[in-house]
Amino acid sequence: MASKEMQSFIASFSFFPKRRWRSKEEKKRQDFSKSLWQSYLKGIVFVFFFLILIVSFVLGKDIFSSNWMLFRLKEQNLHWLAPPRGLIFDTRGKLLVENRPIYYLNGRWLSYPEMFWSSFLGVEATQSSFLTNKKLPTRYLRYYPFDSVTAPVLGYVNLVSKKELDLHYCSPEQRRYCLTANSFVGQGGIEKSYELYLQGKPGVAVKDNIWYPPRAGKDLQLTLDLQLQEYIFDLLKEEGKVGAVVVLDRSGGVLSLVSYPSFSANALSGSYPQDKKKREKIVKDIFQDETKPLINKAYQEAYPPGSVFKLVTALAALDQGRIDLKTEIEDTGFIKVKNYIYRNWYWTEYGRKEGKLNVIRALARSNDIFFYKVGALVGPEAIADYAAKLGLGQSSGVDLPDEVFGLVPTPHWKKIVRGERWFLGNTYHLAIGQGDLKVTPLQVARMTLIFALKGKKVKLHLNKAVKPSSETLEISDKSWSTVIEGMKEACLPGGTAFVFFHYPVKVAGKTGTAEEGKGKEADAWFTLFAPADKPRYVITVFLKNAGEGSYQAAPIAKEILNYLLRLKDND
């Protein structure tokens, strides 16, 4: 009885709902209604998220993280459609890289010709759609028709890594830049530096229907001249020496940039050869090559410049008033400082002296004694300051990735880094381009262009659409003209660049032979601009462990200039 009274007492409170008996028919109706509302709700959620997805693609909004978005795509049976990358052309409109579609079938990636033959086996496919069995998505391989010839400039691409996918799913800098698991990304050269520009925008497919088509990347035209690039590549290949060549026009456009030995961009990109074992063998050889072909010798490795640096020492001395055209220094053959002897190259090779020289004659003869003494007059800090003004020891600003700066040493640097004092011998070495000094061939080419333009410092570029910017160095015209006169004399009888004696066009150049250490052959340098009175081209040649610059590098520069002048006549 008590229990019934307790139940009645509890039921009297309104917040305890009274249980109501339901018939089977009523229960079925309520369950059906509930299921219907749940279906509606799921549909609304799906449409909502899909609309956000489409809006995010159209407007480029970074709404979701990559992992979450990929999860939603799989859950809703959506698929990415990989976009073709932008095409790249040389300065004359020649195609340098193309996209080749490949298809996935029965566990294999097939090229278009293979897909053509597979049609005889009853398999059908289209480039922009999925088969109903979802086994055949399209992907694009990057193919380089000129492979190792253009590889130092273009670089190569490879499938995006998980780290790159997480990092660049939607770039904060440019929200159109979105990667998928099928994306190829630039791994060097122009492909890397213009990744945001070349990488297209992926599309979306739902089952068999394309909801949002992929957008191709933007095309890019370079200042690079393919004919010239091929010619220089063949020259270095014939010589068989490790090195680099840079050719610039007067606006700072890079006409050619060759690093030798080069590498197969197609093999590293996975596009050729199609035989996997052969491709893997090529890739293995690239990574095991002692000459390090993946390191671009033009701008990713720095070397002692040797006598080409004497241009810097001469300019600093003239501009600071330490010397003038009347200043003469006698060649003594060698200078002895305590237990150290600093020799002139002419004394070392022939046991002869060259008498008294002014700065023009010293540049023409590349006299070490003159520049030892002038370097001591100017001082290492001033020499380093003018080296920086001429673009050495810093980025050239060229639109290529992973450029090294090199090093212009100073007493402060030596004290901080080495914990050592700076001695007079260090100044001697710096003045003639030796010691700890390191520069890249691209920096030397830029320095030569600054001399050609008498102090106008233009930005180097490969993108033809770039409007070159410049600044003018506050250095007297007389100082520029004096150094240039010395460069002209170097290419005339009595100078060191004997291959240009009696050349039909006036040339201003400088030879360089840089010691690499005991037991190693010297590095050969030669840099020039021509025509000397109305500069149009800059050519810088560097050959690692090749010997003297006048014998090894200068003849190659002459062949290149001959070719450039013939090209001009044909145009």
Side-chain angles (χ1 to χ4, degrees):
M1 188 73 176
S3 62
K4 288 183 178 181
E5 291 177 354
M6 180 61 71
Q7 290 176 3
S8 177
F9 173 75
I10 292 173
S12 64
F13 290 92
S14 60
F15 52 82
F16 285 98
K18 296 179 181 181
R19 297 186 62 181
R20 180 176 174 274
W21 178 84
R22 295 182 300 172
S23 66
K24 290 182 179 181
E25 289 76 7
E26 185 178 0
K27 187 176 180 180
K28 285 182 179 180
R29 285 196 304 273
Q30 290 179 347
D31 290 345
F32 175 76
S33 177
K34 182 179 179 180
S35 175
L36 187 63
W37 276 106
Q38 287 177 342
S39 299
Y40 284 153
L41 184 60
K42 287 181 180 179
I44 291 171
V45 169
F46 169 75
V47 171
F48 174 74
F49 280 115
F50 188 75
L51 287 175
I52 291 179
L53 175 65
I54 295 299
V55 170
S56 69
F57 271 103
V58 174
L59 300 180
K61 302 297 183 183
D62 186 10
I63 299 176
F64 306 110
S65 68
S66 61
N67 291 335
W68 192 92
M69 181 65 81
L70 289 171
F71 170 77
R72 294 299 303 173
L73 285 172
K74 291 179 181 179
E75 187 181 69
Q76 302 299 342
N77 203 19
L78 306 179
H79 302 275
W80 293 112
L81 293 174
R85 287 174 71 86
L87 303 177
I88 303 175
F89 302 88
D90 88 328
T91 189
R92 301 171 188 270
K94 183 74 174 179
L95 185 64
L96 301 178
V97 59
E98 59 189 63
N99 298 306
R100 290 187 171 181
I102 55 173
Y103 308 84
Y104 194 70
L105 180 65
N106 298 328
R108 290 183 60 217
W109 287 102
L110 304 178
S111 65
Y112 184 80
E114 290 174 316
M115 280 308 307
F116 175 80
W117 289 109
S118 68
S119 63
F120 289 97
L121 302 177
V123 178
E124 295 181 359
T126 61
Q127 181 175 330
S128 59
S129 66
F130 288 83
L131 290 182
T132 54
N133 61 11
K134 295 172 288 184
K135 292 181 181 179
L136 198 62
T138 297
R139 197 163 79 183
Y140 293 92
L141 282 180
R142 203 70 157 158
Y143 180 73
Y144 303 89
F146 307 97
D147 204 9
S148 56
V149 174
T150 55
V153 175
L154 301 182
Y156 65 100
V157 299
N158 216 323
L159 270 176
V160 62
S161 65
K162 184 180 183 303
K163 182 179 179 181
E164 290 169 323
L165 185 63
D166 292 338
L167 185 63
H168 298 296
Y169 177 75
C170 276
S171 170
E173 292 81 14
Q174 185 173 344
R175 295 178 185 270
R176 283 190 67 254
Y177 178 63
C178 297
L179 298 178
T180 76
N182 282 341
S183 294
F184 283 83
V185 294
Q187 301 293 331
I190 288 294
E191 293 279 25
K192 182 176 181 180
S193 56
Y194 282 94
E195 173 64 28
L196 297 179
Y197 192 88
L198 296 167
Q199 180 68 253
K201 186 176 177 183
V204 177
V206 181
K207 293 185 178 180
D208 304 325
N209 301 312
I210 298 176
W211 282 53
Y212 185 82
R215 292 183 188 175
K218 295 181 180 179
D219 295 343
L220 187 65
Q221 187 170 21
L222 306 181
T223 59
L224 190 78
D225 188 315
L226 177 62
Q227 289 181 333
L228 181 63
Q229 183 82 359
E230 287 182 300
Y231 181 78
I232 296 174
F233 182 86
D234 290 339
L235 275 179
L236 292 188
K237 187 177 180 180
E238 185 178 338
E239 290 291 326
K241 292 183 175 68
V242 176
V245 174
V246 178
V247 181
L248 308 175
D249 64 22
R250 63 178 292 113
S251 72
V254 179
L255 300 180
S256 178
L257 189 150
V258 175
S259 175
Y260 190 85
S262 187
F263 58 90
S264 172
N266 286 324
L268 290 171
S269 299
S271 56
Y272 187 84
Q274 293 182 1
D275 186 287
K276 186 177 180 181
K277 289 185 178 180
K278 289 182 180 178
R279 190 168 65 245
E280 288 177 347
K281 173 69 166 56
I282 294 173
V283 172
K284 183 180 179 182
D285 290 344
I286 291 172
F287 283 99
Q288 291 182 346
D289 192 331
E290 293 182 355
T291 63
K292 300 177 181 179
L294 287 174
I295 296 178
N296 195 306
K297 308 300 184 291
Y299 69 95
Q300 290 180 335
E301 201 163 56
Y303 315 90
S307 294
V308 295
F309 189 79
K310 290 172 182 174
L311 301 173
V312 179
T313 306
L315 184 69
L318 288 163
D319 192 54
Q320 292 208 333
R322 299 292 183 177
I323 63 171
D324 56 28
L325 277 172
K326 296 180 181 179
T327 303
E328 291 186 335
I329 295 175
E330 186 174 357
D331 174 17
T332 57
F334 63 90
I335 299 175
K336 188 174 182 180
V337 181
K338 294 184 179 181
N339 295 327
Y340 297 94
I341 297 177
Y342 302 89
R343 300 176 177 85
N344 180 34
W345 69 271
Y346 199 57
W347 173 268
T348 300
E349 290 191 19
Y350 304 104
R352 298 170 62 181
K353 305 173 187 178
E354 300 191 86
K356 291 183 178 181
L357 308 93
N358 67 1
V359 64
I360 292 176
R361 184 64 180 161
L363 284 169
R365 294 297 302 156
S366 197
N367 187 276
D368 294 322
I369 301 299
F370 181 94
F371 286 100
Y372 289 149
K373 294 185 176 181
V374 167
L377 286 174
V378 176
E381 290 87 353
I383 294 174
D385 180 52
Y386 278 82
K389 289 179 180 179
L390 292 167
L392 303 181
Q394 58 189 251
S395 171
S396 68
V398 72
D399 41 352
L400 288 170
D402 309 317
E403 181 182 9
V404 300
F405 290 2
L407 173 66
V408 179
T410 63
H412 179 72
W413 168 86
K414 191 177 181 186
K415 182 180 180 180
I416 296 299
V417 175
R418 297 268 180 86
E420 299 173 356
R421 288 175 55 202
W422 184 275
F423 295 98
L424 178 60
N426 299 125
T427 302
Y428 283 175
H429 284 149
L430 177 62
I432 66 166
Q434 292 285 173
D436 295 308
L437 179 66
K438 296 289 193 323
V439 301
T440 68
L442 190 63
Q443 289 174 348
V444 172
R446 188 189 188 202
M447 176 190 75
T448 307
L449 181 60
I450 295 172
F451 276 103
L453 302 178
K454 291 188 174 182
K456 188 177 180 182
K457 197 174 181 180
V458 298
K459 183 179 179 181
L460 305 188
H461 59 280
L462 272 157
N463 185 348
K464 197 170 183 178
V466 168
K467 294 181 179 179
S469 59
S470 65
E471 61 176 297
T472 301
L473 299 176
E474 295 182 2
I475 296 174
S476 69
D477 184 73
K478 187 176 181 180
S479 298
W480 293 114
S481 297
T482 301
V483 176
I484 291 171
E485 193 60 34
M487 296 175 72
K488 290 179 183 178
E489 290 287 330
C491 300
L492 295 175
T496 54
F498 59 85
V499 296
F500 284 99
F501 295 174
H502 312 295
Y503 195 73
V505 175
K506 285 186 178 180
V507 177
K510 186 70 193 75
T511 55
T513 303
E515 301 297 330
E516 278 273 28
K518 291 182 178 180
K520 293 183 178 180
E521 192 78 49
D523 294 339
W525 288 87
F526 188 74
T527 190
L528 68 82
F529 63 83
D533 297 328
K534 293 183 179 180
R536 189 182 304 115
Y537 307 114
V538 165
I539 302 171
T540 298
V541 179
F542 166 77
L543 300 175
K544 187 174 178 62
N545 305 134
E548 294 185 19
S550 56
Y551 284 92
Q552 302 297 330
I556 291 177
K558 182 182 178 181
E559 292 297 322
I560 296 169
L561 183 57
N562 289 341
Y563 187 79
L564 280 168
L565 296 177
R566 287 199 301 271
L567 277 181
K568 178 183 175 295
D569 291 339
N570 292 335
D571 289 345

